[in-house]
Amino acid sequence: MTTSRRKDLLGLEGLSAAEIEAILDEAALYKAKPPKTPLAGRTVAFLFSEASTRTRSSFEEAALRLGAQPLSFSAAGSSLAKGETILDTMRNLEAIDVTHFVVRHERSGVLEDLAPRVAASVINAGDGWHEHPTQALLDALTLRERWSSFKGRRVVILGDVRHSRVARSNLIALKALGAKVVFCGPTPLVPDALSALGAQVEHDARRALKDADAVNVLRLQLERMEQGFVPSLADYALGYRLTPELAALMKPDAFVLHPGPMNRGVEIDSAVADGPRSLILSQVANGVFVRMAVLSACDRGRPARG
Ligand code: CP
């Protein structure tokens, strides 16, 4: 098996299809057979300045299953709150032998500058509107387990694409693996200019979903409501909430994904989220194995210590 070896994972932009496949293969291997403790002696610190349930918990679980030590660290209770920079924080944690940083931050691209300035691996757990690479990898693994190939598959990404790091990383992964991607939502949340990224843009949910192979429903970021991106929740739900009727337009064997957290009754109905086509909890379960593969790839790519 080819294995990925890199110091950092800041995004999926620039990764080849072969490297994405290699990470998915390693995740599948960990799922089939738990490894011994290849990361024994490593310490993984979590720098999260935004809330998280799935990403943080599954990275912590992944670190433990690989034999690494997760370092308990809360951004809010740390000296970051007193104005210490992230870089100084990382360098101080490196001084106590942190080998991997898993970082979630509200500013897009913040890690590009930080990663080359520390010896430890830096893994993006979501930065602003930019990327959420491990989410897209776990989404891809979840679909790959059900499809022999992505070629000829059409995946609809439905909702607030404009503000979604999940949409960006998914587009990169799905295109690399050979699928066609359709972004669908109202124009303020899915501007036509997004087609420049290589997705088809569609504003009519019925047209987008007709004969689709899968839909990945995005969280409507309720905080954007104040900024006037959609007139009202009811208005949005009327056109774009994934109801059983809308879901029935897809192929009979099509799948429903959602990265979470869900606004039930806003972007998705419970009958669909909890229905037979839903892969939502399989996505969460696969998050652990994908994150084990990413932590391992980044461990192999770290510079040797002197
Ligand atoms: N999908 C995702 O990133 O979920 P959390 O915000 O709970 O980590």
Side-chain angles (χ1 to χ4, degrees):
M1 186 181 86
T2 318
T3 50
S4 167
R5 171 188 293 268
R6 50 174 43 251
K7 175 183 167 287
D8 309 303
L9 181 66
L10 308 187
L12 297 186
E13 186 77 58
L15 263 70
S16 65
E19 186 170 3
I20 291 174
E21 293 274 16
I23 294 171
L24 301 184
D25 289 345
E26 187 166 357
L29 204 67
Y30 289 144
K31 187 170 181 175
K33 188 169 184 290
K36 299 257 188 294
T37 51
L39 265 63
R42 315 294 198 274
T43 303
V44 182
F46 297 88
L47 307 185
F48 275 54
S49 62
E50 284 184 347
S52 169
T53 294
R54 284 147 287 267
T55 310
R56 182 165 182 155
S57 310
S58 58
F59 259 119
E60 286 185 8
E61 183 62 19
L64 284 169
R65 290 192 199 182
L66 292 166
Q69 177 74 37
L71 184 89
S72 172
F73 178 89
S74 159
S78 75
S79 289
L80 284 166
K82 298 186 217 162
E84 187 166 37
T85 65
I86 309 176
L87 181 60
D88 278 336
T89 301
M90 292 168 93
R91 284 185 169 153
N92 278 269
L93 291 174
E94 269 195 322
I96 56 168
D97 293 334
V98 164
T99 51
H100 298 66
F101 291 105
V102 178
V103 186
R104 173 169 285 189
H105 199 274
E106 60 279 4
R107 189 147 54 85
S108 301
V110 67
L111 304 179
E112 309 288 335
D113 177 49
L114 296 171
R117 299 166 80 181
V118 293
S121 290
V122 178
I123 300 168
N124 184 359
D127 62 327
W129 302 352
H130 176 227
E131 279 222 42
H132 192 347
T134 57
Q135 179 68 45
L137 291 167
L138 72 88
D139 292 344
L141 178 66
T142 306
L143 288 172
R144 197 182 76 157
E145 287 174 339
R146 283 138 184 108
W147 295 342
S148 53
S149 165
F150 284 79
K151 300 265 184 314
R153 299 289 186 178
R154 191 163 61 85
V155 179
V156 179
I157 300 183
L158 179 67
D160 184 359
V161 175
R162 181 186 198 118
H163 304 106
S164 176
R165 53 198 178 207
V166 172
R168 273 166 192 69
S169 294
N170 257 276
L171 174 68
I172 296 166
L174 289 166
K175 274 180 55 190
L177 295 170
K180 186 174 170 195
V181 176
V182 181
F183 285 158
C184 179
T187 305
L189 298 180
V190 184
D192 291 327
L194 286 176
S195 62
L197 300 177
Q200 180 190 332
V201 169
E202 177 57 74
H203 302 297
D204 182 312
R206 304 184 79 81
R207 252 203 320 263
L209 291 165
K210 180 100 180 72
D211 296 328
D213 293 285
V215 59
N216 198 340
V217 185
L218 301 175
R219 179 174 79 92
L220 184 66
Q221 303 196 17
L222 298 177
E223 55 274 28
R224 313 290 175 209
M225 294 290 294
E226 287 161 19
Q227 296 162 30
F229 283 99
V230 290
S232 71
L233 283 186
D235 187 78
Y236 178 83
L238 202 62
Y240 298 99
R241 185 177 85 254
L242 190 66
T243 59
E245 293 73 28
L246 271 187
L249 295 171
M250 297 192 293
K251 287 181 179 164
D253 57 352
F255 296 111
V256 174
L257 298 94
H258 191 305
M262 286 185 278
N263 300 301
R264 290 173 181 264
V266 177
E267 73 262 2
I268 190 165
D269 276 354
S270 287
V272 181
D274 304 328
R277 297 160 172 242
S278 172
L279 299 181
I280 294 170
L281 293 179
S282 301
Q283 290 172 264
V284 179
N286 278 340
V288 175
F289 305 111
V290 158
R291 286 160 180 143
M292 288 170 77
V294 168
L295 285 167
S296 299
C298 290
D299 195 61
R300 290 189 289 269
R302 277 188 312 125
R305 290 202 167 188

